[in-house]
């Protein structure tokens, strides 16, 4: 067998949130494939990382009061940890926000520019005059031009299903500031995808894509390829376009380049490379991976992907995942309630090589884990092993009593290997479970528990259980890509080295095994309910799309009219006065207020101010501040505490 050199990638998850079960459809699917290749003795690299740029990350970081870099680093660490805990065995989990990616993106862009594939042109876009930024469609809301439903997003109406350009929305507003957006012109950079039409027509039809994708692409070719806007105006979190000071590469340009910069191996990317490159992606990003990406690579003199493996979306109990319906389950929440391998097994049992959505039905999930994985597969070992330990000091027979049965199981391995290779995982699982049925049937027929009762028949118990455990071992080999942790435990139980695919040819005989310990537990629907409940009761994360607070948020602010009892300068502070205020109910508070330049402290005593009484106390250099005085004005001396302020008119202010 020739050793293959393979690079596998998953799409890079966006660095604005924790992974959820939807992400795991892809990472688990690709990890199974990678583990299978590695078991075959191939050199298979596996990388992924955070997609770290773009407006949503910039906005979210701002809302969370942190820098985009701090946000993406913390999310990257969380993604890497969550995936590792699902036994996703990446060689490297990187980020698109790196110097290496900046250089490579610029180099690819400059090659395209030198080849005349970059155009510049002025376009009109919505602009938020308060946030002083151009607005991506997702941040524009307004009234549907067709059915007049309010608060619809920039490109489609959730009420009547109409699609439109954000410019057509009635009474549009920015969801970031609430301001009415204005139309503003800006020069944008475009990648001339049309120049690659002939190349792409050939490339897309020569074995790199699934049939369903090819059909979809034919529609796009019929409409004609269009140039691709690859620039965004400042402010933007990303890489500056070389030669500009306020234009950034659109996140979708530098994201796929991340595959190259995260996997730093130049030989792999050369145009004449004999290595293999596979991208596992969701069906929503086919356009980028099957058109832009090969065109970018080809135009810049690099190799193109060997194949793109697209998959469908995850639904839960037949419904699209949704935070509000409580059907969005984060990877970490799942791990807090259930073993990672159960999800790996369930996904494997449902995945195929076509672009179909995958539904988790939790009743079915519980049934498959309990009846198939535990009840059929693990059951073989738990039935046979105790006899070997108790009656034969852990030793297996020196001969295989049922070579024909073993041969059937061994031959099935080739079929199963072909299914793993072809990503027909559900077929592989079906075959494995039908073999498990057969192994259990063998034990049922032989009845070792009866034979163990009579001295003359005891020796045959060793033969039967040796056959059973060898069948179990074959099934474990076939399931290793799906159940890597259990495979380790089974290797320990069998007192053997880690299982390889080739081990199937040589049964384990005349060999002492370790005492059997339970390998897996059945699950209960209650665990599922607890997981769903945990997700629903968790405090929702900061809103992603809107910076407005709700009336409920506002109601949390305890505003009170307070009377100033004491006021004095804080000599060490430039701006602060120390106030003691009476907030009612005979309670007083110390508050440091930034109104030193505006008021002589003596004039404040006895006056009323509005304070936020439930602001968390804040320790300052001069003492603890236990609230906030509301004031208005442009700043400096022109600040007024908001009460009928006769003092200001009467010249009581400092100046
Ligand atoms: Zn509508």
């Amino acid at each position: 067998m020739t050793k293959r050199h393979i690079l596998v990638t998953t799409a890079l998850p966006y660095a604005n949130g924790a992974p959820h079960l939807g992400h795991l459809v892809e990472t688990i699917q690709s990890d199974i494939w990678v583990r299978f290749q590695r078991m075959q003795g191939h050199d298979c690299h596996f990388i992924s990382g955070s997609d770290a740029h773009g407006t949503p990350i910039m906005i979210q970081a701002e809302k969370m009061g942190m820098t985009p870099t701090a946000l993406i680093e913390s999310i990257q660490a969380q993604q890497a940890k969550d995936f590792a805990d699902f036994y996703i065995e990446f060689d490297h989990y990187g980020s698109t926000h790196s110097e290496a990616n900046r250089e490579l993106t610029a180099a690819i862009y400059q090659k395209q520019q030198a080849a005349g594939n970059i155009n510049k042109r002025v376009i009109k876009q919505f602009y938020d005059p308060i946030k002083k930024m151009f607005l991506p469609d997702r941040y524009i809301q307004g009234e549907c031009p067709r059915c007049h439903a309010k608060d619809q997003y920039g490109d489609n109406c959730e009420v009547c299903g109409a699609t439109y350009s954000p410019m057509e929305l009635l009474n549009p507003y920015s969801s970031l500031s609430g301001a009415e957006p204005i139309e503003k012109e800006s020069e944008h950079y475009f990648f001339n995808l049309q120049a690659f039409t002939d190349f792409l027509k050939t490339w897309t039809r020569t074995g790199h894509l699934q049939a369903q994708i090819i059909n979809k692409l034919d529609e796009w070719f019929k409409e004609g390829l269009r140039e691709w806007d690859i620039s965004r105006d400042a402010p933007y979190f990303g890489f500056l376009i070389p030669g500009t000071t306020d234009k950034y590469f659109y996140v979708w340009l530098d994201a796929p380049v991340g595959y190259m910069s995260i996997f730093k191996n130049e030989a792999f990317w050369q145009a004449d490379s004999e290595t293999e490159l596979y991208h596992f992606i969701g069906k929503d990003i086919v356009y980028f991976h099957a058109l832009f990406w090969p065109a970018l690579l080809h135009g810049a003199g690099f190799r193109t992907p060997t194949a793109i493996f697209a998959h469908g979306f995850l639904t839960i109990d037949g419904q699209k995942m949704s935070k509000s319906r409580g059907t969005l389950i984060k990877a970490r929440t799942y791990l807090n309630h259930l073993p990672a391998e159960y999800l790996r097994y369930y996904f494997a049992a449902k995945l195929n090589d076509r672009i179909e959505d995958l539904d988790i039905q939790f009743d079915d999930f519980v049934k498959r884990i309990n009846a198939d994985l535990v009840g059929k597969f693990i059951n073989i070992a738990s039935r046979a092993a105790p006899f070997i330990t108790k009656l034969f000091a852990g030793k297996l027979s020196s001969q295989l009593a049922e070579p024909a049965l073993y041969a059937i199981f061994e031959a099935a391995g080739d079929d199963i290997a072909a299914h793993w290779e072809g990503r027909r995982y559900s077929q592989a699982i079906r075959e494995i479970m039908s073999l498990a049925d057969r192994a259990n049937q063998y034990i049922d027929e032989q009845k070792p528990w009866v034979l163990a009762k009579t001295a003359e028949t005891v020796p045959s118990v060793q033969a039967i259980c040796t056959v059973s455990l060898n069948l179990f071992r074959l099934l474990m080999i076939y399931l290793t890509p799906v159940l890597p942790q259990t495979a380790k435990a089974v290797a320990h139980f069998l007192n053997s080295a880690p299982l390889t695919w080739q081990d199937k040819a040589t049964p384990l005989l005349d060999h002492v095994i370790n005492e059997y310990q339970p390998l897996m537990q059945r699950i209960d629907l209650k665990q599922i309910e607890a997981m769903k409940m945990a997700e629903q009761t968790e405090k929702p994360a900061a809103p992603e799309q809107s910076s407005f607070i709700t009336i409920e948020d506002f109601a949390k602010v305890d505003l009170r009219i307070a009377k100033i009892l004491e006021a004095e300068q804080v000599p060490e502070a430039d701006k602060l006065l120390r106030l003691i205020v009476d907030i009612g109910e005979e309670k007083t508070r110390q508050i440091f207020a930034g109104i030193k330049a505006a008021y002589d402290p003596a004039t404040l005593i006895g006056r009323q101010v509005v304070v936020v009484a439930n602001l968390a106390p804040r320790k300052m250099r001069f003492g603890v501040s236990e609230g906030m005085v509301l004031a208005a004005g442009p700043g400096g001396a022109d600040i007024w505490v908001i009460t009928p302020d006769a003092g200001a008119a009467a010249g009581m202010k400092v100046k």
Side-chain angles (χ1 to χ4, degrees):
M1 186 190 65
T2 343
K3 186 168 181 168
R4 293 159 61 189
H5 299 274
I6 304 170
L7 171 60
V8 173
T9 73
T10 73
L12 310 181
Y14 202 48
N16 68 342
H20 51 68
L21 299 191
H23 293 107
L24 286 160
V25 172
E26 183 169 300
T27 47
I28 287 175
Q29 185 187 26
S30 47
D31 186 71
I32 290 172
W33 203 74
V34 166
R35 286 179 182 272
F36 169 73
Q37 300 299 347
R38 287 174 177 167
M39 275 185 94
Q40 301 300 303
H42 299 309
D43 170 34
C44 187
H45 305 270
F46 186 28
I47 59 112
S48 190
S50 297
D51 177 8
H53 290 150
T55 307
I57 282 174
M58 183 176 75
I59 300 288
Q60 192 176 329
E62 188 186 309
K63 271 182 200 146
M64 295 171 79
M66 60 206 298
T67 64
T69 316
L71 171 65
I72 62 174
E73 279 172 3
S74 84
I75 298 285
Q76 180 191 2
Q78 185 178 7
Q79 289 170 340
K81 170 97 176 74
D82 287 357
F83 291 139
D85 288 348
F86 273 93
Y87 309 117
I88 311 297
E89 206 172 40
F90 291 124
D91 294 305
H92 189 48
Y93 194 84
S95 162
T96 57
H97 189 64
S98 72
E99 200 45 44
N101 202 44
R102 180 198 306 275
E103 285 168 16
L104 205 47
T105 303
I108 288 175
Y109 164 78
Q110 280 160 342
K111 280 186 191 171
Q112 295 286 4
Q113 195 183 32
N117 294 327
I118 306 291
N119 304 322
K120 283 190 257 182
R121 155 163 87 73
V122 171
I123 62 165
K124 257 190 203 169
Q125 262 189 306
F126 270 142
Y127 181 85
D128 182 329
I130 290 179
K131 294 288 284 185
K132 297 200 176 2
M133 60 180 280
F134 284 96
L135 288 169
D137 293 358
R138 63 185 297 191
Y139 296 112
I140 301 164
Q141 285 180 273
E143 193 179 314
C144 169
R146 191 163 89 185
C147 77
H148 299 275
K150 298 253 192 301
D151 303 323
Q152 297 307 306
Y153 282 97
D155 50 5
N156 74 301
C157 174
E158 286 188 342
V159 178
C160 75
T163 60
Y164 38 75
S165 123
M167 299 268 175
E168 296 171 66
L169 279 175
L170 307 173
N171 304 315
Y173 62 91
S174 159
S175 66
L176 297 176
S177 68
E180 184 184 338
I182 55 170
E183 282 185 52
K184 200 175 159 175
E185 292 192 330
S186 162
E187 186 176 57
H188 273 237
Y189 291 60
F190 293 85
F191 174 56
N192 187 8
L193 187 66
Q194 307 94 297
F196 294 89
T197 303
D198 289 341
F199 161 74
L200 287 170
K201 274 187 177 167
T202 308
W203 187 83
T204 54
R205 286 164 195 169
T206 40
H208 307 290
L209 303 172
Q210 291 139 293
Q212 282 165 285
I213 297 189
I214 297 171
N215 294 339
K216 188 72 206 163
L217 290 180
D218 279 343
E219 289 174 29
W220 286 330
F221 283 126
K222 264 181 214 140
E223 289 170 20
L225 298 180
R226 272 175 290 177
E227 60 180 359
W228 180 34
D229 186 347
I230 56 164
S231 70
R232 293 295 183 269
D233 289 280
Y236 194 75
F237 183 58
F239 295 145
L240 266 180
I241 297 181
T244 76
T245 54
D246 59 351
K247 308 282 178 192
Y248 288 82
F249 286 121
Y250 176 39
V251 55
W252 259 110
L253 187 78
D254 66 69
V257 180
Y259 296 143
M260 303 177 82
S261 61
I262 291 169
F263 181 66
K264 296 180 190 96
N265 182 328
E266 282 173 28
F268 253 87
W269 297 97
Q270 283 168 12
D272 58 353
S273 174
E274 284 174 10
T275 58
E276 300 169 45
L277 168 63
Y278 301 97
H279 298 305
F280 282 81
I281 60 164
K283 64 181 179 183
D284 53 327
I285 53 177
V286 160
Y287 202 86
F288 295 99
H289 283 81
L291 294 178
F292 293 127
W293 182 227
L296 274 180
L297 287 168
H298 180 70
F302 292 110
R303 62 93 47 79
T304 48
T306 310
I308 288 165
F309 298 145
H311 58 80
F313 292 151
L314 179 70
T315 55
I316 292 189
D317 289 328
Q319 296 210 306
K320 219 174 127 184
M321 282 199 295
S322 133
K323 227 175 232 179
S324 54
R325 279 197 297 266
T327 51
L328 190 139
I329 295 168
K330 286 192 287 300
R332 186 51 53 186
T333 311
Y334 174 95
L335 288 170
N336 289 341
H337 294 88
L338 292 159
E341 285 187 322
Y342 291 6
L343 191 69
R344 292 178 66 103
Y345 177 80
Y346 187 72
F347 280 170
K350 303 201 77 166
L351 278 163
N352 59 43
D353 60 345
R354 297 184 300 278
I355 307 169
E356 289 171 0
D357 290 350
L358 188 161
D359 188 42
I360 298 188
Q361 292 180 319
F362 279 115
D363 291 351
D364 180 50
F365 178 89
V366 170
K367 202 183 88 208
R368 281 191 196 235
I369 298 305
N370 291 347
D372 293 355
L373 195 55
V374 184
K376 289 180 183 175
F377 168 59
I378 297 293
N379 197 35
I380 304 167
S382 68
R383 295 175 87 182
F387 292 114
I388 296 288
T389 302
K390 275 184 225 149
L391 302 177
F392 310 100
K395 190 152 192 187
L396 299 174
S397 317
S398 54
Q399 282 199 335
L400 204 55
E402 299 280 350
L405 183 61
Y406 187 88
I408 291 170
F409 275 59
E410 196 212 332
D414 296 338
D415 254 9
I416 292 162
H419 289 321
W420 289 139
E421 173 74 43
R423 302 179 337 282
R424 297 180 297 274
Y425 296 176
S426 58
Q427 278 174 266
I429 295 288
R430 238 191 334 266
E431 283 211 29
I432 292 167
M433 282 305 136
S434 109
L435 292 172
D437 281 337
R438 195 135 180 203
N440 280 299
Q441 203 183 335
Y442 169 75
I443 299 173
D444 292 342
E445 286 161 6
Q446 300 296 320
K447 298 185 173 49
W449 60 93
V450 175
L451 302 174
K453 287 177 184 155
T454 320
E456 308 89 83
T457 51
V458 161
S460 62
V461 173
Q462 189 183 23
I464 293 160
C465 293
T466 297
V467 169
S468 306
L469 288 174
N470 270 287
L471 300 180
F472 172 75
R473 177 170 167 269
L474 289 184
L475 301 184
M476 185 71 258
I477 291 171
Y478 305 155
L479 281 170
T480 294
V482 182
L483 307 173
Q485 202 57 23
T486 300
K488 272 187 198 166
V490 167
H492 176 262
F493 151 61
L494 295 176
N495 190 24
S496 73
L499 298 167
T500 70
W501 204 267
Q502 288 71 30
D503 286 340
K504 75 187 178 78
T506 46
L508 208 55
L509 297 169
D510 199 17
H511 172 89
V512 176
I513 61 168
N514 289 315
E515 191 176 344
Y516 177 81
Q517 305 290 335
L519 291 163
M520 278 186 187
Q521 307 295 332
R522 284 186 162 78
I523 47 172
D524 196 283
L525 258 179
K526 280 182 194 147
Q527 286 165 269
I528 307 283
E529 292 310 321
M531 172 181 72
K532 288 182 176 173
M533 193 54 79
E535 196 65 78
Q536 279 165 18
T537 53
E538 191 187 294
K539 190 168 112 303
E544 198 197 320
Q545 300 254 356
S546 169
S547 55
F548 299 123
I549 62 166
T550 62
I551 190 77
E552 287 81 3
D553 293 330
F554 180 71
K556 289 179 196 158
V557 180
D558 182 3
L559 291 177
R560 298 193 193 185
I561 305 291
K563 188 172 172 189
I564 299 179
L565 303 176
E566 290 176 41
E568 61 178 37
Q569 309 271 4
V570 180
E572 313 94 299
D574 296 340
K575 294 182 181 164
L576 296 179
L577 293 183
R578 189 181 78 94
L579 308 176
I580 300 292
V581 300
D582 174 359
I583 58 163
E585 299 157 7
E586 306 198 353
K587 283 184 206 153
T588 63
R589 291 277 178 86
Q590 168 173 277
I591 297 177
F592 290 94
I595 51 175
K596 188 172 183 170
Y599 287 97
D600 174 353
T603 65
L604 286 172
I605 293 168
R607 295 178 57 198
Q608 292 186 318
V609 285
V610 180
V611 302
V612 180
N614 61 341
L615 189 71
R618 183 159 158 246
K619 196 165 181 293
M620 303 175 80
R621 253 190 315 148
F622 341 97
V624 176
S625 187
E626 303 165 303
M628 178 194 278
V629 173
L630 297 189
D638 293 326
I639 291 265
W640 288 270
V641 292
I642 324 169
T643 52
D645 200 340
M652 282 163 73
K653 300 202 70 169
V654 176
K655 44 180 173 169

